[in-house]
């Protein structure tokens, strides 16, 4: 598929998705979500891709739904729009069996915040900000916002952000668990690249299983979690990366994982 609203690059096992509508703070469109899904699909199939980074061009990360598309909201089947677009995009990120890094370069609002939250890990520029913008225009959080935000910051903070729609700065985001790292804007790209390279060097199958088990564990019982872990561990214990991890430990050297 031709990419018109994102830039897709691959470098050193990392697939970069750069949202590329900077004059609109990378506001999401139907087309953009299809392009993101396209890259996520190919990243999932391609064994050489061992990490995905989502970031934005210009001063914004993503300002949520492009409200120009909503000028005539009465004409739009919103449920179908979400089901066929943003919901699939969010699920594809959460379910991708590879690490996904959200590199939040600027403002993340509405579905743009949900997009950042769907990523496994988040690095933010000290210029970044975060807002549950939906309430400002009379909507509820969507694109996973009601599920992802309370899991990141707890129900009380999620409610406060969702009901006020206020802008949360990078330092507060770090303190409340909304992001994992904050770096100065002038070192943002370099730091995001370095973290992505570290993620791409991990034992990818174990990453995928860890994502899956933690997500399932939050909603299930301990006995179900114990059983899922036992089954997953058997699969991983037979993997080349496990053999390499043990050999490297015993040889007192750094492991060289291949993702198999
Ligand atoms: O069916 C469905 O899909 C429903 C799904 C809904 C999901 C949602 O995401 S709903 C929430 C939509 N997003 C918003 O409501 C956020 C709107 N934007 C803002 O509140 C502000 O732009 C920000 C707080 C994000 C940033 O403010 P600021 O002052 O830094 O920038 P700005 O001047 O407001 O924006 C810069 C330009 O981007 C501006 O255009 P201009 O004046 O230079 O020509 C602005 O209109 C444009 N822009 C920003 N956000 C959007 C947008 N254009 C279209 N849609 C946007 N969401």
């Amino acid at each position: 598929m031709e990419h018109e609203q994102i830039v897709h690059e691959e470098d050193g096992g990392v697939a970069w998705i750069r949202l590329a509508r900077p004059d609109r703070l990378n506001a999401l469109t139907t087309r953009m979500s299809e392009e993101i899904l396209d890259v996520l699909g190919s990243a999932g199939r391609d064994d050489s891709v061992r990490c995905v980074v989502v970031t934005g061009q210009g001063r914004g990360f993503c300002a949520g739904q492009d409200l120009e598309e909503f000028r005539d909201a009465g004409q739009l089947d919103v449920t179908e729009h979400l089901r066929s677009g943003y919901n699939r995009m969010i699920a594809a990120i959460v379910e991708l069996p590879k690490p996904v890094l959200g590199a939040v370069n600027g403002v993340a609002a509405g579905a743009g915040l949900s997009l950042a939250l769907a990523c496994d890990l988040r690095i933010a520029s000290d210029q970044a900000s975060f807002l549950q913008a939906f309430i400002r225009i009379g909507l509820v959080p969507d694109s996973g916002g009601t599920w992802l935000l309370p899991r990141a910051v707890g129900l009380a903070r999620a409610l406060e952000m969702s009901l006020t729609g206020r802008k949360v700065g990078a330092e507060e985001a770090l303190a409340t668990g909304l992001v994992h790292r904050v770096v100065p804007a002038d070192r943002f790209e370099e730091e995001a690249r370095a973290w992505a390279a570290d993620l791409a060097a991990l034992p990818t199958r174990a990453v995928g299983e860890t994502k899956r088990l933690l997500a399932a564990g939050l909603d299930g019982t301990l006995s179900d979690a114990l059983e899922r872990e036992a089954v997953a561990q058997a699969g991983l214990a037979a993997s080349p990366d496990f053999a390499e991890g043990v050999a490297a430990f015993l040889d007192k050297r750094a492991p060289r994982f291949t993702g198999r």
Side-chain angles (χ1 to χ4, degrees):
M1 157 182 220
E2 281 282 303
H3 296 153
E4 297 164 359
Q5 301 192 2
I6 65 166
V7 174
H8 169 209
E9 297 156 355
E10 287 185 16
D11 180 23
V14 180
W16 287 77
I17 299 173
R18 292 182 193 276
L19 311 186
R21 305 183 68 229
D23 55 330
R24 287 280 167 275
L25 302 179
N26 302 314
L28 279 166
T29 63
T30 309
R31 171 83 199 182
M32 188 189 276
S33 70
E34 282 167 6
E35 293 181 12
I36 294 170
L37 259 173
D38 179 56
V39 176
L40 291 169
S42 61
R45 290 187 296 273
D46 183 349
D47 288 343
S48 73
V49 173
R50 294 176 58 194
C51 175
V52 174
V53 181
V54 182
T55 193
Q57 283 187 348
R59 74 175 178 90
F61 172 73
C62 175
Q65 166 66 39
D66 188 318
L67 296 176
E68 282 294 336
E69 281 193 343
F70 267 36
R71 222 178 247 288
D72 209 354
Q75 306 276 314
L76 198 69
D77 183 340
V78 172
T79 305
E80 187 46 35
H81 189 242
L82 287 171
R83 281 184 184 144
S84 63
Y86 303 162
N87 292 4
R88 288 173 60 224
M89 174 184 74
I90 296 295
I93 294 174
V94 172
E95 290 164 12
L96 192 76
K98 303 185 180 188
V100 183
L101 178 63
V104 186
N105 52 301
V107 66
L113 176 56
S114 301
L115 176 62
L117 287 167
C119 300
D120 304 311
L121 297 164
R122 281 165 291 287
I123 184 170
S125 154
D126 59 4
Q127 303 300 306
S129 56
F130 305 82
L131 59 154
Q132 279 291 54
F134 304 91
I135 197 74
R136 294 179 170 203
I137 55 171
L139 294 181
V140 295
D142 67 16
S143 308
T146 60
W147 195 89
L148 295 162
L149 187 62
R151 279 170 169 74
V153 300
L155 182 58
R157 284 199 176 92
L159 253 178
E160 189 269 342
M161 281 182 70
S162 303
L163 295 184
T164 62
R166 76 180 170 90
K167 209 182 247 192
V168 169
E171 288 308 325
E172 182 182 346
L174 182 65
T176 55
L178 198 50
V179 301
H180 302 91
R181 294 185 191 173
V182 171
V183 296
D186 60 357
R187 290 218 325 271
F188 178 71
E189 179 80 18
E190 174 195 340
E191 297 279 350
R193 275 190 185 281
W195 199 4
D198 289 346
L199 295 173
L202 291 172
T204 314
R205 280 185 60 187
V207 170
E209 288 293 70
T210 303
K211 282 179 68 165
R212 185 177 68 79
L213 295 182
L214 282 173
L218 262 185
D219 298 320
T221 63
L222 174 61
S223 63
D224 287 346
L226 291 169
E227 187 51 28
R228 276 192 299 269
E229 291 165 9
V231 173
Q233 207 68 304
L236 292 169
S239 73
D241 273 349
F242 175 64
E244 166 62 7
V246 173
F249 175 79
L250 296 176
D251 294 349
K252 299 191 187 304
R253 62 173 172 79
R256 288 180 298 270
F257 294 120
T258 59
R260 287 180 292 124

